């Protein structure tokens, strides 16, 4: 009787349609590292790895629009707040022998100074202060974020933004972001993303920035009045 050996294609030769997601079980850390090298950096698909499971995702075109728009909103909010930052896009973040994940977008805010000169991550670098995921609810991806200890994770899915904060080794959903206190992010981001589908991304961002600046101006005026009345 002739033995039949399974045919195994390199991951880079897999042909996946936009919106596809594939899970591969029993992948060792060494195999994960090898797959990352095989795929290279310039690619449309993204990966997550946790508990020996490799997840491969191919974003839909509308995924990219939402990702870019929410990233631009974050930059506007940071600018208005006068906060410096370093964006790290879809960099692959890893915890040795445990997990790996590639956010749709991410930002160093509290730790931005440390990351200014980084062309590639160093083993002792901190995780990003804020990571953003679009249309992702898989356990593999969330477990990877927990392992890497990203303190704040935004997930935009089904026209809704959810904010997750890392507490005692797991994520809890929150109505507020420590990076942007007193801003109703879940409402304004969802509204701006939907607005972009109606009037275009540039116009939606202009409207968002104008509204945000006016709001911040009012806050500053109230602070001045409070300070003046309490010398």
């Amino acid at each position: 009787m002739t033995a039949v050996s399974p045919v195994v294609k390199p991951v880079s030769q897999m042909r996946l349609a936009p919106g596809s997601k594939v899970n591969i079980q029993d992948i060792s850390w060494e195999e994960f590292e090898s797959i990352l090298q095989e795929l290279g950096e310039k690619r449309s698909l993204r990966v997550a790895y946790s508990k020996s499971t490799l997840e491969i995702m191919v974003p839909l075109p509308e995924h990219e629009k939402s990702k870019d728009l929410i990233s631009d909103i974050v930059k506007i909010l940071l600018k208005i707040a006068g906060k410096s930052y370093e964006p790290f896009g879809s960099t692959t973040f890893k915890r040795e022998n445990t997990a790996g994940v590639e956010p749709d977008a991410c930002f160093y805010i509290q730790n931005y100074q440390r990351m200014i000169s980084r062309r590639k991550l160093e083993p002792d670098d901190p995780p990003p202060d804020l990571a953003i995921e679009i249309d992702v609810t898989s356990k593999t991806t969330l477990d990877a974020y927990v392992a890497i200890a990203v303190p704040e994770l935004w997930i935009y899915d089904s026209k809704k933004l959810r904010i997750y904060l890392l507490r005692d080794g797991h994520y809890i959903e929150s109505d507020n972001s420590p990076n942007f206190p007193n801003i109703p992010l879940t409402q304004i981001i969802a509204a701006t993303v939907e607005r972009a589908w109606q009037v275009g991304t540039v116009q939606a961002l202009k409207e968002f920035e104008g509204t945000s600046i006016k709001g911040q101006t009012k806050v500053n005026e109230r602070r001045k009045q409070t300070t003046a009345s309490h010398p």
Side-chain angles (χ1 to χ4, degrees), residues 26-44:
D26 300 321
I27 299 293
S28 68
W29 181 257
E30 290 73 20
E31 289 171 324
F32 172 60
E33 291 275 33
S34 178
I35 287 169
L36 286 178
Q37 289 186 350
E38 175 193 332
L39 293 174
E41 295 183 0
K42 295 182 179 180
R43 50 185 162 85
S44 59

Side-chain angles (χ1 to χ4, degrees), residues 30 60 64 69 75 93 99 118 138 153 168 172 187 207 212 228:
E30 290 73 20
L60 289 165
E64 297 300 294
L69 185 63
K75 293 173 185 177
F93 293 90
R118 287 288 189 273
S138 79
L153 174 64
D168 299 322
I172 60 169
Q187 290 87 13
E207 293 174 5
S212 299

Side-chain angles (χ1 to χ4, degrees), residues 53-71:
T53 297
L54 173 66
E55 185 173 80
I56 302 172
M57 299 155 282
V58 183
L60 289 165
E62 54 262 39
H63 174 115
E64 297 300 294
K65 181 170 181 174
S66 298
K67 174 197 75 174
D68 291 341
L69 185 63
I70 295 175
S71 295

Side-chain angles (χ1 to χ4, degrees), residues 153-221:
L153 174 64
W154 294 3
I155 296 180
Y156 184 79
D157 183 47
S158 301
K159 301 182 181 181
K160 184 175 182 179
L161 177 72
R162 289 182 170 87
I163 298 171
Y164 293 95
L165 306 179
L166 191 64
R167 297 287 185 270
D168 299 322
H170 66 276
Y171 282 113
I172 60 169
E173 190 168 356
S174 173
D175 292 330
N176 301 296
S177 163
N179 287 298
F180 306 104
N182 305 317
I183 297 178
L185 291 171
T186 56
Q187 290 87 13
I188 62 176
I189 287 182
T192 303
V193 173
E194 287 307 299
R195 182 65 174 160
W197 289 105
Q198 300 167 3
V199 300
T201 298
V202 173
Q203 180 61 30
L205 286 171
K206 283 182 179 178
E207 293 174 5
F208 172 80
E209 185 168 12
T211 301
S212 299
I213 290 174
K214 288 179 182 178
Q216 186 61 47
T217 300
K218 290 180 180 179
V219 170
N220 293 339
E221 288 175 352

Side-chain angles (χ1 to χ4, degrees), residues 68-149:
D68 291 341
L69 185 63
I70 295 175
S71 295
D72 287 340
I73 289 172
V74 170
K75 293 173 185 177
I76 290 171
L77 291 172
L78 289 168
K79 177 183 176 182
I80 292 172
K83 293 183 178 181
S84 298
Y85 65 92
E86 285 296 319
F88 265 63
S90 295
T91 298
T92 304
F93 293 90
K94 294 181 284 187
R95 181 180 175 188
E96 191 76 17
N97 296 314
T98 304
V101 71
E102 297 171 341
D104 283 309
C106 66
F107 296 85
Y108 283 93
I109 303 170
Q110 286 78 25
N111 291 309
Y112 84 92
Q113 285 186 315
R114 180 172 176 175
M115 306 306 293
I116 287 175
S117 62
R118 287 288 189 273
R119 296 183 183 273
K120 64 178 183 177
L121 294 177
E122 301 293 339
D124 62 342
D125 282 335
D129 299 298
L130 170 63
I132 299 168
E133 286 281 357
I134 310 297
D135 301 328
V136 169
T137 56
S138 79
K139 191 174 187 305
T140 297
T141 299
L142 293 178
D143 285 346
Y145 276 109
V146 169
I148 292 165

